[in-house]
Amino acid sequence: MMKQVLRGLAVSGVAAAVLWGSAGIARAAGFDLITSGEAQQAAQAERTMPQPVRTRNLPKPDAPGITVLSPSAPGKPVTAPLRIEVSFQPAAGAKIVPSSFRVLYGLLKIDLTDRLRQHATVTETGVVVDGAKVPDGQHRMFLQVADDKGNTTEQELRFRVGGAS
């Protein structure tokens, strides 16, 4: 009887390892952060919409900061699925409100927040997401966050996936 129980546990352990391994494979395969349709819409908007006049926005002293840690090579192509890692810096005496974090895509500002949150870790210190599938081409995201004093900030993230320009 004891041997049967031990065999059962061993088989269960193997099954659990197989299931855990497949879950790891599914996670490693990634998720669609940006669909090809959204990428086409954004590219069309970039070509046809008037570009806003670029002004240098100096950060407000009481606004939180957003630093993009990954992808970290501006101008150099990255490969998908990609890792997105962002660090938040609250102003003195304030705390970042993780639930305020938003991700908007392209000039149309397509809201990707819910899709990203399903696969990301969002805390007071930042965001980490692995396995974000993004089609080849140029991409622009707007990352937003607020603190508990109501101060908000937005950081633009531009990157190129693959060899497309």
Side-chain angles (χ1 to χ4, degrees):
M1 172 102 169
M2 182 63 116
K3 284 184 182 179
Q4 288 175 339
V5 169
L6 290 175
R7 269 192 215 128
L9 289 173
V11 169
S12 298
V14 170
V18 169
L19 288 173
W20 177 261
S22 18
I25 290 168
R27 177 172 277 176
F31 68 100
D32 290 325
L33 178 60
I34 300 168
T35 66
S36 58
E38 290 165 336
Q40 289 172 356
Q41 284 180 315
Q44 178 68 22
E46 290 280 344
R47 287 190 298 271
T48 59
M49 290 176 70
Q51 297 295 314
V53 175
R54 289 189 179 248
T55 58
R56 184 172 175 184
N57 292 331
L58 297 175
K60 296 178 187 174
D62 53 351
I66 299 175
T67 301
V68 177
L69 304 172
S70 179
S72 61
K76 293 186 181 178
V78 296
T79 58
L82 55 100
R83 175 183 178 90
I84 299 172
E85 187 173 1
V86 176
S87 172
F88 301 141
Q89 301 83 38
K95 291 173 100 174
I96 297 293
V97 178
S99 63
S100 71
F101 179 69
R102 297 281 175 265
V103 179
L104 306 173
Y105 180 63
L107 287 178
L108 299 176
K109 297 211 173 180
I110 299 167
D111 194 340
L112 303 178
T113 306
D114 291 339
R115 196 177 310 167
L116 182 128
R117 279 184 179 276
Q118 293 175 14
H119 303 276
T121 302
V122 181
T123 67
E124 288 182 19
T125 59
V127 177
V128 176
V129 63
D130 283 309
K133 290 184 191 176
V134 177
D136 283 357
Q138 290 286 132
H139 300 280
R140 183 194 298 194
M141 293 181 177
F142 298 93
L143 312 173
Q144 301 173 344
V145 74
D147 63 25
D148 61 351
K149 307 230 186 260
N151 301 308
T152 62
T153 194
E154 181 176 276
Q155 174 69 43
E156 181 179 22
L157 167 60
R158 287 181 183 238
F159 59 94
R160 185 175 75 219
V161 174
S165 55

